[in-house]
Amino acid sequence: DVVVLTVPGTGHASTAGLVNRTSLLLMRPHALLVPVSAGPINFGDLEAVLRDERPKQRAVIDTWPGGCWHYPNASCGPPLGPPDFPGSPVLARLPNVLPLPS
């Protein structure tokens, strides 16, 4: 199964934390998550579930919490500045995560 999340991002209280431990564990064990905005994602839960509880679940992430969509307070990587990753770089290095530049 593939879950593509296309709800509004940062600043929308109704979608904050939509992707959390509970919702990730309700997905099938081999599901692929493709979020289009960072606001609805609890990145701590995402990392913990993909690392510890569902190592076969996968995610393609190009919506980091401090990426271009938080302009002007973020950088998008060269040539605009250093690459931006989530609070924990461990998430970007997990074997079941495909990190894309924002």
Side-chain angles (χ1 to χ4, degrees), residues 64-102:
W64 305 107
C68 300
W69 40 91
H70 288 195
Y71 177 84
N73 300 323
S75 64
C76 304
L80 304 173
D84 182 41
F85 288 102
S88 170
V90 172
L91 177 61
R93 293 188 187 108
L94 290 175
N96 49 346
V97 172
L98 175 60
L100 301 174
S102 56

Side-chain angles (χ1 to χ4, degrees):
D1 291 351
V2 177
V3 177
V4 178
L5 190 65
T6 61
V7 299
T10 304
H12 295 275
S14 63
T15 62
L18 185 65
V19 176
N20 56 35
R21 182 178 180 275
T22 301
S23 62
L24 290 165
L25 293 176
L26 287 171
M27 294 168 54
R28 293 185 185 210
H30 293 86
L32 170 64
L33 174 66
V34 183
V36 176
S37 60
I41 303 170
N42 179 320
F43 282 91
D45 285 358
L46 179 62
E47 178 184 325
V49 168
L50 293 179
R51 183 189 64 228
D52 302 327
E53 299 183 66
R54 290 282 178 90
K56 293 187 179 184
Q57 203 168 44
R58 301 156 294 146
V60 175
I61 304 175
D62 72 346
T63 56
W64 305 107
C68 300
W69 40 91
H70 288 195
Y71 177 84
N73 300 323
S75 64
C76 304
L80 304 173
D84 182 41
F85 288 102
S88 170
V90 172
L91 177 61
R93 293 188 187 108
L94 290 175
N96 49 346
V97 172
L98 175 60
L100 301 174
S102 56

